[in-house]
Every structure is written in structure tokens, then in C-alpha cells.
């Protein structure tokens, strides 16, 4: 053990990970060697043993959360962390982490302030709502709204909207967990206002509309407009709650996409409360935003569950910086999600050609499609020039695997006997790292 711990191969590991951790790994490695010898098998020599211990310790104490290059062309890739933050939002989060802030301190009066106050006026401005509140994620926001206003009461939902959004968010289960009672009306494809109205009883708390974010029902369909539902709810003294999902604050038609419903429209149509994510098309950090009527939001702010779901200062700082981009009209140019959606064909093409040339070995530029992802605009695609590397199924699978296992993991997509690298979701400053990773993965497969 002493000779091992004094070995040059372990000095760096000791400095970085601590003597105790290296000693523990060395003890395990020695025990394994003894066992091999007892079984009459060969055991590694001192140098090999020290090197393998160094590798074990280094891997064990490296952060498992790593930066990856997203070459899939899926902009809001849920498994890769959804939205990337703008430069300003990144800096705001770092500042909030590094120093004290007036998070809950009123600098004017020198007294206790409210963390919610930092976002309130921005939320009013960008959504047009009377008031707003932010919690951990949209699942929490919806749960909170239902629990606060429909506990033990009925919530009427169209059968076409009692959906699963993915990652465990299923409308009937969220309703059940919130303590509200699901009342399903209509059919999967056609639900009328009259269906909702016929189900209202003295026990009804709300109509709930849920945006079917990640699928489309088309053809013989009907759903009442939000405005119709808002006036129907108002007449009956119940609420109209709207889980709109993505929190898309810009008009997607301006980017050549289908229309994605916006919180502004929902508020304007008369929804009492609208719920949406911070890290989908809004392009900010993970958060759940509730916008709507002031008395309801005031009531929510005092709810004990808000304390259990409250956002932390880094999220708040990043969300505030993100919302400021919308408030000052620079969202499309500053927020990575919108920059990727709005990327010029010419720029993507230039990068794809440069990549193909650098990769060589049968790489070519072909026309393909990027997608929005993250449960937003499921049937919409953006035409993209991409780099394709041809090969058979198993060769491509093993190339994709080598790309994922490199020092800077690259996640690519495989389509029709080709490995595809999509420049739309790769940050331009990652181009060189991507090319180095691809060349190394190809060379390792030779
Ligand atoms: C994505 C989504 C959710 C869940 O939002 P999170 O922020 O991921 O918790 C809820 N409802 C709808 C309609 C969604 O699209």
C-alpha cells in the first residue's frame, strides 16, 4: 500500500481527490489482486495497478453532469436539458450565485421584501395578465393551481385533453394528486361548450384546458374557443384554468412555423389563470409560471405549497434576464432557442459545408429537418442542411456510440442508413470540438 500511494501515477489523483479516497480505491484494487493470485490467475504489476487506481478514482470523483454537443437538431431536447440560456441569463445566474442579492430584501425600506416581486411587473408586461407568480416547474404550477382552487371539487376536462405530456405528467394523475376530481366530458376528437356546461354542478370549481403539446388531433375535430369558455365559466361562477405548456411568447408563424398558442392570447381570451414552463419555447431556466387575475394570484402567493415549490435565486435571476429580453424586444436575437429556430439557411449551409470538408471520408451535406422538441409544435419541422455520414446500421450505431463516449460527448441522430449532424443545435463556438470528436471517432473505427 505504501509503495502504491507513493507511486507517481497516483500523486495527481491524491492531490485532486484526497488521500483517503485514493487509499480506499487502492485497498479494493489490492484485494482484487490478492483474490486473483489465490485463484492462480495473473495480477497486475505495480505500475499497471497504480494507473488503474488513478483511472478509477478520477472517474469516481468527476462530475457526472457533463457538457454535451447536441447535434440532433432537436432544439428543446428534454433529455439534454431543454432550453439553453442567453448570455445575459447565464451571467445573471452566476452573479446571483456568487454574491449576496436583494432576493427578499427591500433596499428602499431596509426591510424584508418578496422574491416574487422581482418578476411580477415583467410577467404583467409580457403576458398582459394582471399578476404573475413563479414556481419550480409547470407541473408544480398546475398542481398548485388545482390544489388551491379545486380541492375536493370537480374540474371539467375534455376527453381530448386528458393527456400525457411525457416525463410522468398525466393530466388525470395530476388532478388526482392535487385533490381535485376529474370530470371528463365530450370525446377524444369532438367536445362542445354544451358538454362542459352540462357537467357543471354546485361542486364544480373550474374548467381546465390543456394544450395537447406533443401530438395533434386532426380531421373531424372540435373544441370550444377559450373566449366562449371564459364567458361560460364567468356566468357560472367557476374558473377557467389553462395549462398552455410551452410558454411561447413570440408568434411562431413569423418563423415559418404553425401557430403555437401564446399566454398573451389566453389571457386576452379571458382565462383566469394560465400555466406554462420557463424552459420550453420561453427559452429560460426550468420554472413554472402562473399568470392571471390578481385576486387569484394573491391568494396563491399565500399558499403553503408555494413555499414548498419556490424557485431559487439563480433560477429567478436567469428568468428575469430572459423575460427582460422579451420586454425590450430582443428575444429573437438574444435567446438561443429563438436564434436556433430563426437561424439563417445560408449560415447553416456554410457551417455544414465546412464540417463535411473537414470530416472528409464520405461526409456530405444533405437537406434534412430539425425539430422543436420539448413538447412544442410536434408536427412542425425546420428545413436544415446537415452533414450525413453513410454506413450500415451496426457501423453507424458504433460510430454514434464512440461519439457519445469521447471527451466531449456528441449526440447525433441516425436516419435512413446515415449518421446526421445538424448544425442548427450546435453552438458555433462548439464547431471545432465537434469536428475533433467526429474525426477521433471515425479514426477509432478504422
Ligand atoms: C411540458 C408541459 C407540462 C410540464 O411542464 P414542466 O415545466 O416540464 O413541468 C405540463 N403541461 C403541458 C401542456 C406541457 O406541455
Amino acid at each position: 500500500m505504501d509503495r502504491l500511494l507513493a507511486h507517481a501515477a497516483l500523486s495527481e489523483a491524491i492531490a485532486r481527490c484526497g488521500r483517503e479516497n485514493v487509499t480506499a480505491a487502492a485497498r479494493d484494487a489490492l484485494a482484487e489482486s490478492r483474490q486473483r493470485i489465490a485463484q492462480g490467475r495473473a495480477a497486475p504489476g505495480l505500475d499497471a495497478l497504480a494507473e488503474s487506481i488513478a483511472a478509477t478514482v478520477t472517474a469516481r470523483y468527476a462530475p457526472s453532469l457533463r457538457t454535451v454537443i447536441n447535434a440532433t437538431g432537436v432544439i428543446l431536447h428534454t433529455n439534454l436539458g431543454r432550453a439553453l440560456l442567453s448570455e445575459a441569463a447565464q451571467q445573471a445566474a452566476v452573479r446571483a450565485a456568487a454574491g449576496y442579492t436583494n432576493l427578499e430584501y427591500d433596499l428602499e425600506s431596509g426591510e424584508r421584501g418578496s422574491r416574487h416581486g422581482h418578476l411580477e411587473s415583467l410577467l404583467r408586461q409580457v403576458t398582459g395578465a394582471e399578476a404573475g407568480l413563479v414556481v419550480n416547474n409547470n407541473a408544480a404550477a398546475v398542481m398548485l393551481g388545482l390544489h388551491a382552487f379545486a380541492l375536493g371539487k370537480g374540474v371539467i376536462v375534455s376527453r381530448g385533453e386528458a393527456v400525457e405530456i411525457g416525463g410522468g405528467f398525466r393530466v388525470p394523475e395530476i388532478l388526482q394528486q392535487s385533490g381535485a376530481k376529474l370530470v371528463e366530458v365530450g370525446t377524444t376528437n369532438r367536445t362542445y361548450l354544451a358538454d362542459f356546461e352540462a357537467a357543471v354542478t354546485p361542486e364544480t370549481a373550474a374548467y381546465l384546458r390543456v394544450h395537447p403539446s406533443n401530438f395533434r388531433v386532426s380531421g373531424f375535430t372540435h373544441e370550444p374557443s377559450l373566449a366562449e369558455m371564459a364567458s361560460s365559466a364567468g356566468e357560472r361562477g367557476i374558473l377557467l384554468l389553462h395549462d398552455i405548456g410551452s410558454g411561447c411568447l413570440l408568434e411562431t408563424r413569423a418563423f415559418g412555423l404553425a401557430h403555437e398558442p401564446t399566454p398573451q392570447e389566453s389571457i386576452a381570451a379571458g382565462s383566469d389563470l394560465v400555466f406554462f414552463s420557463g424552459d420550453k419555447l420561453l427559452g429560460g431556466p426550468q420554472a413554472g409560471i402562473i399568470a392571471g387575475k390578481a385576486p387569484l394570484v394573491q391568494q396563491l402567493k399565500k399558499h403553503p405549497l408555494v413555499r414548498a415549490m419556490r424557485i431559487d435565486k439563480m433560477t429567478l435571476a436567469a428568468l428575469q434576464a430572459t423575460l427582460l429580453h422579451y420586454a425590450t424586444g430582443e428575444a429573437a436575437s438574444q435567446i438561443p432557442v429563438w436564434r436556433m429556430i430563426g437561424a439563417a439557411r445560408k449560415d447553416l449551409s456554410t457551417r455544414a459545408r465546412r464540417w463535411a470538408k473537414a470530416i472528409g471520408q464520405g461526409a456530405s451535406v444533405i437537406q434534412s429537418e430539425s425539430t422543436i422538441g420539448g413538447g412544442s409544435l410536434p408536427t412542425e419541422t425546420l428545413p436544415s442542411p446537415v452533414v450525413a455520414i453513410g454506413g450500415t446500421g451496426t457501423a453507424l450505431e458504433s460510430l454514434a456510440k464512440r461519439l457519445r463516449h469521447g471527451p466531449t460527448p456528441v449526440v447525433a441522430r441516425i436516419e435512413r442508413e446515415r449518421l446526421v449532424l445538424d448544425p442548427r443545435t450546435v453552438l458555433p463556438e462548439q464547431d471545432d470540438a465537434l469536428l475533433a470528436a467526429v474525426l477521433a471517432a471515425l479514426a477509432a473505427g478504422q
Side-chain angles (χ1 to χ4, degrees), residues 82 136-140 142 163 165-166 169 210-214 243-246 276-280 286-288 374-375:
R82 286 196 186 154
N136 253 322
N137 58 19
N138 192 31
V142 175
V163 298
I165 300 298
F169 187 95
V210 182
H211 180 50
S213 301
N214 51 4
D243 174 8
I244 201 168
S246 208
F276 51 97
S277 289
D279 57 351
K280 292 186 181 172
Q286 179 189 303

Side-chain angles (χ1 to χ4, degrees), residues 219-234:
F220 190 59
T221 63
H222 180 82
E223 58 182 30
S225 75
L226 278 174
E228 282 177 300
M229 289 193 63
S231 53
S232 167

Side-chain angles (χ1 to χ4, degrees), residues 388-396 413-420:
I389 300 171
T392 63
T394 49
L396 290 180
R413 70 171 193 264
I414 292 177
E415 58 180 38
R416 280 176 264 118
E417 305 282 280
R418 285 190 289 243
L419 182 117
V420 168

